[in-house]
Amino acid sequence: MDGKIFLIFIALLAMKANGEPIDYSKISEAKSARFDKVVVRYFRQYGEVCANVQTLDPGKNWQIISTIHICSFEDKSFETEFADIQFQNIYFAEDGLHLTLSTTPLEPIGEQIKNCIVPIKDGSIDQMTYRDGGK
């Protein structure tokens, strides 16, 4: 991660979207990138199964424009309907945040791996989808 963007990202992690302060000691994973006029940040916290993606406007005192909490997949809750979930291979591209989602359902069918994207355009974040177009 670019050093300047990393420093900006750390400064921006001071508050969650709901206004609660973020405990830096609980950040387990973080990435950020600039998308045109906004900064996008991805982060996870220890003890939480959800991933968080936010866009911020540096021209408006780093106001949060859009937020998404990735807490489910195929309408199944990460907290109650999977034995394990992992976010892997996370990177930013022109069209959004790309990642590999590894899920292990409670039913004994084994690990499922999906290449996903969280589309980002004009500061807005869409729901996570399969890269092949499915949801």
Side-chain angles (χ1 to χ4, degrees):
M1 179 183 315
D2 181 281
K4 289 179 186 177
I5 291 177
F6 180 74
L7 290 175
I8 290 169
F9 180 75
I10 292 301
L12 296 175
L13 280 179
M15 299 290 244
K16 289 185 182 179
N18 60 8
E20 292 178 24
I22 294 175
D23 183 347
Y24 292 111
S25 67
K26 291 186 179 180
I27 299 293
S28 62
E29 182 176 30
K31 293 185 181 275
S32 66
R34 184 172 279 281
F35 274 70
D36 294 320
K37 297 180 181 179
V38 301
V39 171
V40 178
R41 65 182 177 187
Y42 159 90
F43 66 96
R44 295 194 61 209
Q45 292 184 288
Y46 291 109
E48 293 184 12
V49 296
C50 301
N52 302 284
V53 182
Q54 296 181 323
T55 56
L56 300 102
D57 187 340
K60 293 184 179 176
N61 201 27
W62 298 100
Q63 177 183 357
I64 296 171
I65 300 168
S66 186
T67 300
I68 186 170
H69 304 285
I70 304 170
C71 298
S72 63
F73 182 68
E74 295 180 330
D75 298 322
K76 293 181 181 178
S77 169
F78 288 163
E79 292 184 348
T80 59
E81 299 181 71
F82 289 98
D84 185 49
I85 62 107
Q86 299 290 320
F87 294 89
Q88 303 166 335
N89 307 318
I90 300 154
Y91 66 94
F92 292 98
E94 280 186 20
D95 55 351
L97 175 72
H98 292 247
L99 59 93
T100 302
L101 180 67
S102 169
T103 60
T104 303
L106 293 175
E107 312 86 47
I109 61 172
E111 178 183 37
Q112 306 291 304
I113 297 175
K114 299 286 183 182
N115 292 316
C116 301
I117 181 172
V118 178
I120 301 167
K121 183 173 175 133
D122 299 326
S124 294
I125 306 169
D126 277 333
Q127 295 295 316
M128 181 174 69
T129 62
Y130 297 120
R131 276 197 235 158
D132 64 4
K135 252 194 178 183

